[in-house]
Amino acid sequence: MSLMRVVRCNGYGPADVLEIQNTSIPKMNDNYVRIRVVAVGVNRADLLQRRGLYSPPSHISADILGLEYAGEVIEVGTSVQKWTVGSRVMGILPGATYSEQVVAHEREILKIPSSMDYVQAAAIPEAFLTAFDALFPQMRLGMGECVLIHAIGSGVGNAALQLVKASGAFAIGTSRTKEKIQRAMDFGLDEGIHVQSGNFLDGLSSPVHKIVDFVGGSYMDQNLRALRKEGEMIVVGLLGGRQAEVNLGLILRNRLTLRGTVLRMRPLEEKIELVQNFTKRGLPLFESKKLRPVVDSVFDMTEVVQAHLYMESNQNFGKIVVKW
């Protein structure tokens, strides 16, 4: 039996439950390809899953972390037409990408831009697909609109910022760290709000058309008050909690739209549609340098514990990547 290395949770808890172990390689069907994983982006979801707070779909191993990958195709199914052995690819999966090999449907895979290495590519899929999906298919961002992006220094926050600016819209970002706001200015941030004592609303110059929110509960009331009439908000994360009191009168009076999103639990068909849409509209912007991955730091997979501890310290601007 062929074996590969994976990062497995030896129980749930702090970062030191992570161990590199051997397991059997995944099976592959006709429309799938086998990928040798070179690099993997670390996400907040990985930290939650490690603590037992975010379960993957039932068919995915809960004790192996990871949502994205970058690597090389090493085997193709008999029905595959789009990829060949040696193709450089990246993508998102429902889980278990902290592995030396993954298998993916041929139509949910993205080509790595020619100018990028695997580490840079590993910083793209989860951040940019999440931000792209939230801004365009869901909220239909228009040129000239004003978007408030929370946690501007995060991987998805920075991706949202770049996509907003590439579409000709106005970007406002929040962070609890002045340095992260300053760094975001290099990516075109129009207005930065340094959040102190949990209040960002006092620093907002005027109401916005749209909000991309990673905080959730603790920001709910301020978010609703920050929106213009007929404004829209999409909740992408819940760093500030799952529960909130909602002023329904404000939603009714201003005809606001509130929605949530998650990519992990979506059917394969929906993920394929998103990947194909991003391939047409998003990937060319990397080739033209209008978009660029932001890698804060790189760790060897043997240092995955340190990578998780670093993310928990909230010091990173952009993505943390681990590589085999």
Side-chain angles (χ1 to χ4, degrees), residues 26-303:
K27 297 179 181 179
M28 192 178 71
N29 296 325
D30 292 347
N31 295 106
Y32 282 69
V33 303
R34 185 181 305 281
I35 300 157
R36 178 180 65 85
V37 176
V38 178
V40 178
V42 179
N43 293 283
R44 290 280 171 185
D46 302 343
L47 276 57
L48 293 173
Q49 185 173 327
R50 192 198 70 217
R51 299 186 192 115
L53 301 175
Y54 186 32
S55 299
S58 58
H59 66 286
I60 299 296
S61 298
D63 58 347
I64 303 177
L65 307 181
L67 296 174
E68 59 188 330
Y69 65 88
E72 178 188 8
V73 173
I74 57 174
E75 182 183 358
V76 298
T78 56
S79 300
V80 171
Q81 298 181 354
K82 187 172 182 180
W83 307 103
T84 59
V85 171
S87 296
R88 299 190 325 130
V89 297
M90 59 186 177
I92 56 173
L93 288 172
T97 64
Y98 285 22
S99 306
E100 285 188 305
Q101 294 184 24
V102 297
V103 296
H105 191 282
E106 66 168 328
R107 298 189 66 215
E108 65 173 335
I109 297 171
L110 292 160
K111 178 183 178 181
I112 296 177
S114 58
S115 61
M116 288 183 195
D117 59 27
Y118 289 113
V119 167
Q120 293 171 313
I124 292 176
E126 182 69 19
F128 280 91
L129 283 171
T130 299
F132 178 87
D133 176 68
L135 290 167
F136 301 109
Q138 297 209 51
M139 291 202 296
R140 295 179 175 83
L141 176 65
M143 183 180 294
E145 289 190 313
C146 184
V147 184
L148 173 62
I149 305 165
H150 292 304
I152 198 67
S154 68
V156 185
N158 182 271
L161 165 61
Q162 293 189 54
L163 287 164
V164 166
K165 296 308 298 179
S167 65
F170 188 91
I172 302 173
T174 72
S175 176
R176 296 178 183 272
T177 307
K178 284 185 177 180
E179 290 76 15
K180 291 183 180 181
I181 291 174
Q182 196 60 46
R183 290 190 65 181
M185 295 290 181
D186 296 336
F187 291 86
L189 185 68
D190 296 293
E191 184 178 319
I193 301 174
H194 180 213
V195 180
Q196 301 180 74
S197 303
N199 186 306
F200 73 83
L201 195 58
D202 290 346
L204 190 64
S205 59
S206 60
V208 299
H209 296 94
K210 292 175 170 58
I211 297 176
V212 181
D213 179 40
F214 304 90
V215 181
S218 61
Y219 273 12
M220 178 60 71
D221 185 66
Q222 292 184 78
N223 279 333
L224 294 179
R225 296 181 185 280
L227 286 169
R228 300 185 182 191
K229 283 184 170 56
E230 300 185 359
E232 296 180 73
M233 180 177 78
I234 189 164
V235 180
V236 181
L238 298 170
L239 296 174
R242 296 169 178 265
Q243 304 296 325
E245 288 191 11
V246 179
N247 187 336
L248 295 176
L250 194 59
I251 293 176
L252 292 174
R253 185 168 63 251
N254 289 336
R255 305 188 298 282
L256 305 179
T257 299
L258 170 62
R259 69 182 76 208
T261 186
V262 64
L263 296 183
R264 188 176 204 180
M265 303 299 181
R266 293 191 194 178
L268 175 61
E269 293 77 12
E270 291 187 17
K271 293 179 181 178
I272 288 174
E273 182 180 8
L274 172 59
V275 166
Q276 298 305 310
N277 193 4
F278 186 78
T279 296
K280 294 176 183 177
R281 297 181 56 189
L283 280 186
L285 297 178
F286 287 100
E287 297 287 5
S288 64
K289 308 300 184 183
K290 291 182 179 179
L291 298 179
R292 55 189 167 114
V294 183
V295 177
D296 175 277
S297 51
V298 183
F299 293 82
D300 189 85
M301 196 64 79
T302 59
E303 303 170 314

